[in-house]
Amino acid sequence: MTRRAAGRAGGRQVLLGALVTVVGGMLGVPAASAAPGDAGRATGSSADRPLELTLDRLEPRTVTPGAAVEVTATLRNDSTETYEDLEVRLQRGEVLTSRSRLAADLARPGDHTAATTPFLEVSSDELEPGEEVTFTYPSTADGLQLTADGVYPFLVNVNGTRADGVTERVAELSTHLVVQPAEPATRTGVAWLWPITDRPHRDATGAFTDDALAAQVAEGGRLDRVLETVEQLPRTTAPTPAETEPVVPVTLAVDPALLEELSAMAAGPYLVDGEEGTGTADAAALLERLRRLAADHDVVALPYADADADALVAAGRPDALLRTLPGEGTARQPGTADGALVPAPAAGPSGETGAGAAIVEEVLGVEPRTDLAWPAGGTVDEATLATLVDGGVGTVVLAEDGLTGGSRAVGDDGDPAVARGDLTTDGGPVTTLVADGELAEAVEAATLQPGAGRLVEQRHLAELAALHAQQADGVGSTVLVAPPRWVDPDPGTVAAMMTDTYTQPWLVPFSVAAAADGPAADVGELTGTDPDVRLPAATMAGIVETSRVRDDFAAAVVGDADAALAGYDAAIARAASAQWRGQPAASQAAVTDLRDTVARLREQVTLVTPADGTYTLASSDAPLVLTVRNDLPFAVEVRLDLQARSNVQLTTEDIGVQTLGPESLTQIEVPADVQQSGGFTVTARLTTPTEVPLGEPVQLQVRSTAYGPVTLAITLGAAALLALLFLRRAVRFVLRRRRGEPAPTADEAVGLPPTRSPV
């Protein structure tokens, strides 16, 4: 099993543990004592060595024939015994001329006895417990017998005598010396891709959930040191004599969501749980520094919130991924005074610039590259890569473990390293850049062992030198260094690593763009992403649900729905951020908040219940007049559905799709035909044109004064009967007159009501 395969088998925790072990090995600390919790202590002591040895200086970084070699270190007595007769010598092992041999030596260091120098006295005084002494050991390349190019295991060995007269090795420190000619025939090219990212700090509405970003951008914070690393690079004269430029080109990979958060903080004041945030001044200063760096270096825009591309595609939401891409996506957070989410007005097509690219241009003043994708973790599934290609991606950066032939690209097979490869997808060819895992780990070790900066830098040089030794005649190697997203650098150490590619004659700095234009290696096929690494299915189920709600509502938007719903796309991207990988509780909390927020979107378009709860229809064909409220800042289309009980004789016409203006109250007349009088209940519902419910159903009490068929028949019948009675009396009266009969007397009128009340 190769060292890369072994790393894959163990996962992230094993990788970090191995990294600490490697650095501890360079420091002389055995694996058992180099636990992650002790990583902050960068020393050269060992559990079986009573004294602590720390490297202060090792020069030169590259040894050439006849060169002087000088080591300066500090020896501290952390034991309870006193030591005297302290003396030191330098030792080296056999030359290493390949990465595989270097890896084997790091895993199991040799005896460092191929060449030794004489012992020199460290101090003539005794070293009491708690005391320390600094010494310098000068030597030469000839004294160490450094005669061939390559990498040499190197040991600083300190002996001393205890009070009981026993002499022993009391401290040691191991690293590697790099030997190269002063004028090499070929040079190894090194490109740097530098992440400027952080986890989301906003909820689904856009309000800040915490003020942790303030600590990140403050002096000494992680993001402050991320920028300081690049700022420390030396500068040289630019093509224009009046200007200068960095000696090492670094490609900055920036998350647009982070830029939005920093901009909101810098604009100030911003609220966190109702209280004013503390990072306004520091965020403004950091953004100004980032603008200066962006003017000097290439900038790549990452997907909004660094969304977990594989998780979204695996969950069946490639459209949600496309909306996060900087070149063609729509996700961005509308700016508001209080940070609350407000949908943007639909203003028609957004043009050729995606939302992510637009954010970078607005905040940093530069046009970023949008056709390069760098999936989190350095692996990607085939379906995800096809989606990225559909979104305009033409170059993808992967870890060596993300490709079946990735180890060949980084020189693990003994051949020259070639950072570029080519892949074929259904959407066309894709240029692949393979990031070197060992070099990335060396950068990460500058965080894990911040006090071991010089040793970590030497490890970095040793890896590059081993690669350089594998070069074919006239063909130089090319490598890409892409540290993890959460890189937490010691600026001085990592800046020195970057600068080495300029100052060392056998190295040459070049850009990521240049690496993509270089020769290609056979990198095999995609290995895909481990499902256990990406966001879990349970978390993605909530994101899928809210994405469907978003899509359903988009059908109701008049104009550019993507522009109108950009804030909701941003909220979905933040919940799906790859930065939540390995944090199930935080991830689930973000999704729950997202689901609740997006559900409220449909509540902003609803029917208004009449003040007294009753509608009155004055005639059988009187229209039913309803009021609809649209609280959104853009127009929407809706359908109205009315349902009465089956025994109610009410019919209404389908009035089709109705348009509601932004932030408006609209009256809608529904033609109705009522065939009965009295009161009855009608249920009114609003839906999108695709019949997705909006708001809550409203129960309407409708009262009709119109005559129905039965009532009308009874009324007409009564009128006809009354008319017949009057006709009968009239006929009888006429007949009496003709016959000359007298009018009825009072006696005959018995039974008629009196004309006045009796007294």
Side-chain angles (χ1 to χ4, degrees):
M1 180 182 288
T2 67
R3 55 180 170 166
R4 301 310 195 284
R8 287 194 296 272
R12 181 65 176 165
Q13 293 300 321
V14 174
L15 177 62
L16 289 176
L19 178 59
V20 177
T21 301
V22 169
V23 176
M26 292 189 298
L27 299 170
V29 183
S33 67
D38 299 329
R41 187 182 185 196
T43 70
S45 63
S46 173
D48 58 354
R49 305 299 180 198
L51 304 189
E52 177 184 292
L53 186 60
T54 303
L55 181 67
D56 298 324
R57 183 172 179 271
L58 173 59
E59 293 296 337
R61 284 165 168 75
T62 298
V63 180
T64 56
V69 178
E70 187 173 270
V71 176
T72 299
T74 298
L75 185 66
R76 179 178 176 81
N77 187 353
D78 282 339
S79 72
T80 59
E81 296 196 44
T82 299
Y83 286 86
E84 59 183 6
D85 299 331
L86 294 168
E87 54 185 3
V88 59
R89 74 176 179 185
L90 309 180
Q91 304 176 198
R92 72 151 177 92
E94 298 291 345
V95 65
L96 310 173
T97 56
S98 68
R99 292 200 89 170
S100 59
R101 293 188 61 188
L102 175 60
D105 183 74
L106 288 169
R108 186 182 296 275
D111 55 13
H112 301 86
T113 57
T116 61
T117 62
F119 275 108
L120 294 181
E121 183 180 64
V122 171
S123 174
S124 59
D125 298 326
E126 294 179 340
L127 193 64
E128 302 284 347
E131 293 182 342
E132 64 180 34
V133 60
T134 298
F135 64 87
T136 296
Y137 193 112
S139 186
T140 63
D142 294 339
L144 287 165
Q145 302 177 35
L146 302 174
T147 57
D149 297 347
V151 180
Y152 291 82
F154 182 65
L155 180 74
V156 181
N157 175 19
V158 180
N159 286 356
T161 303
R162 298 197 310 245
D164 59 5
V166 175
T167 299
E168 61 182 354
R169 180 179 295 186
V170 296
E172 63 183 22
L173 184 148
S174 61
T175 182
H176 293 84
L177 293 179
V178 173
V179 177
Q180 294 292 340
E183 296 183 5
T186 58
R187 297 195 290 177
T188 295
V190 184
W192 287 82
L193 182 59
W194 193 242
I196 302 177
T197 66
D198 203 70
R199 68 168 177 84
H201 295 271
R202 284 171 147 179
D203 64 15
T205 70
F208 283 91
T209 58
D210 56 63
D211 206 20
L213 194 54
Q216 299 267 28
V217 301
E219 183 177 359
R222 188 185 72 86
L223 288 175
D224 169 66
R225 286 180 283 113
V226 165
L227 266 60
E228 184 184 351
T229 299
V230 185
E231 289 171 332
Q232 287 192 13
L233 292 175
R235 303 182 70 86
T236 186
T237 303
T240 302
E243 299 178 355
T244 62
E245 62 184 8
V247 298
V248 177
V250 178
T251 299
L252 309 176
V254 182
D255 178 3
L258 174 61
L259 293 183
E260 279 188 339
E261 291 180 352
L262 293 174
S263 296
M265 292 170 62
Y270 64 99
L271 298 180
V272 180
D273 291 333
E275 298 183 1
E276 188 172 323
T278 61
T280 294
D282 289 330
L286 185 130
L287 278 178
E288 186 57 37
R289 294 164 56 195
L290 185 53
R291 292 185 187 101
R292 290 195 293 268
L293 290 178
D296 285 334
H297 299 275
D298 292 340
V299 177
V300 168
L302 295 172
Y304 188 93
D306 201 12
D308 192 330
D310 279 322
L312 286 170
V313 174
R317 300 303 310 196
D319 53 330
L321 171 60
L322 290 172
R323 287 193 286 267
T324 72
L325 298 184
E328 301 181 10
T330 57
R332 68 177 303 165
Q333 183 65 44
T336 60
D338 58 359
L341 176 58
V342 176
S350 57
E352 297 181 357
T353 301
I359 293 169
V360 176
E361 291 186 37
E362 293 166 10
V363 177
L364 300 184
V366 297
E367 182 178 349
R369 182 174 179 179
T370 60
D371 66 332
L372 184 147
W374 182 17
T379 60
V380 68
D381 295 330
E382 288 187 15
T384 305
L385 183 57
T387 301
L388 293 173
V389 172
D390 289 342
V393 169
T395 302
V396 61
V397 176
L398 299 176
E400 56 200 85
D401 293 344
L403 297 155
T404 57
S407 60
R408 291 194 298 271
V410 298
D412 276 355
D413 59 353
D415 291 331
V418 180
R420 177 192 165 182
D422 291 318
L423 290 173
T424 300
T425 70
D426 293 340
V430 178
T431 298
T432 305
L433 295 178
V434 184
D436 191 295
E438 295 296 331
L439 297 176
E441 287 177 17
V443 176
E444 193 174 10
T447 297
L448 296 174
Q449 294 280 353
R454 184 64 187 88
L455 284 174
V456 174
E457 180 194 358
Q458 200 65 19
R459 152 85 189 283
H460 185 256
L461 284 169
E463 291 285 349
L464 290 172
L467 282 173
H468 186 76
Q470 297 176 182
Q471 294 183 143
D473 293 340
V475 179
S477 292
T478 57
V479 295
L480 172 64
V481 185
R485 295 288 206 274
W486 274 85
V487 63
D488 190 8
D490 171 14
T493 299
V494 181
M497 293 178 180
M498 294 178 175
T499 305
D500 285 339
T501 62
Y502 174 77
T503 58
Q504 301 305 307
W506 50 282
L507 296 175
V508 60
F510 71 126
S511 67
V512 171
D517 291 335
D522 180 7
V523 296
E525 301 176 347
L526 296 174
T527 60
T529 299
D530 185 345
D532 293 335
V533 171
R534 59 191 183 218
L535 293 177
T539 297
M540 296 308 300
I543 293 175
V544 168
E545 174 189 339
T546 54
S547 296
R548 287 173 180 163
V549 173
R550 180 262 181 215
D551 291 346
D552 290 339
F553 196 85
V557 176
V558 177
D560 189 345
D562 288 338
L565 301 177
Y568 291 94
D569 294 339
I572 292 171
R574 287 194 293 269
S577 174
Q579 301 281 351
W580 299 126
R581 287 181 174 182
Q583 303 182 55
S587 176
Q588 189 57 52
V591 171
T592 299
D593 173 64
L594 170 68
R595 184 190 294 115
D596 295 342
T597 299
V598 175
R600 290 193 292 270
L601 175 63
R602 295 185 297 191
E603 299 172 4
Q604 298 183 67
V605 181
T606 186
L607 286 162
V608 179
T609 304
D612 60 359
T614 302
Y615 288 93
T616 300
L617 300 179
S619 64
S620 63
D621 60 353
L624 190 61
V625 181
L626 304 177
T627 302
V628 183
R629 179 189 298 276
N630 176 21
D631 292 331
L632 298 170
F634 48 81
V636 294
E637 293 180 334
V638 299
R639 298 184 69 92
L640 180 63
D641 177 58
L642 297 175
Q643 296 289 335
R645 295 194 308 269
S646 59
N647 61 345
V648 174
Q649 298 183 30
L650 169 70
T651 58
T652 59
E653 291 185 14
D654 182 3
I655 59 175
V657 174
Q658 300 293 304
T659 300
L660 309 179
E663 298 176 341
S664 65
L665 287 173
T666 303
Q667 287 190 335
I668 298 178
E669 292 189 1
V670 182
D673 184 16
V674 183
Q675 298 300 318
Q676 70 180 62
S677 61
F680 48 88
T681 300
V682 174
T683 301
R685 296 182 176 86
L686 275 181
T687 70
T688 68
T690 57
E691 300 185 352
V692 176
L694 295 172
E696 294 295 331
V698 175
Q699 301 290 332
L700 306 175
Q701 299 301 318
V702 179
R703 180 171 300 278
S704 173
T705 59
Y707 289 110
V710 175
T711 303
L712 183 60
I714 293 173
T715 302
L716 292 176
L721 179 60
L722 183 61
L724 289 174
L725 290 175
F726 276 107
L727 179 62
R728 177 176 175 272
R729 292 188 60 141
V731 170
R732 292 179 64 183
F733 176 77
V734 171
L735 290 177
R736 286 194 189 99
R737 293 288 299 271
R738 288 181 177 179
R739 292 195 295 263
E741 297 179 359
T745 63
D747 291 339
E748 293 175 342
V750 173
L752 295 176
T755 58
R756 58 182 294 182
S757 299
V759 178

